[in-house]
Amino acid sequence: QAFAAAAILAAVSLVALALAAGLLTRIAGFLTLAGALWYAVFILPEAWTSAFILAALGLYLLLRGGGPLSIDFATLRLTRFH
């Protein structure tokens, strides 16, 4: 269990850093949505309201991406062939 907890902590930390930098925003949104659903269903179903808010944030990031100031957007603009 200690290894699983350390692996989850490392994954959450990397996702947070990637999200702050605007890198892999849609993947971070998907992981946030999946984590919120997991939390609401298996961990603490009584806290469905906070899980709903977190799931909405994850869904927004999944659908909209990081925006024009993110690394994802800059990478996409640099790799397009005009």
Side-chain angles (χ1 to χ4, degrees):
Q1 287 184 356
F3 176 74
I8 290 172
L9 180 62
V12 166
S13 298
L14 289 175
V15 167
L17 288 174
L19 185 58
L23 182 64
L24 304 175
T25 309
R26 293 181 192 266
I27 294 172
F30 173 74
L31 292 175
T32 303
L33 178 62
L37 293 176
W38 184 268
Y39 184 76
V41 173
F42 296 110
I43 305 295
L44 193 60
E46 296 84 19
W48 65 270
T49 53
S50 59
F52 179 76
I53 293 170
L54 193 58
L57 171 67
L59 185 63
Y60 178 81
L61 290 174
L62 179 66
L63 296 177
R64 298 285 304 221
L69 297 178
S70 67
I71 294 175
D72 290 340
F73 186 79
T75 305
L76 182 66
R77 298 257 328 188
L78 289 175
T79 57
R80 283 189 188 161
F81 294 106
H82 292 273

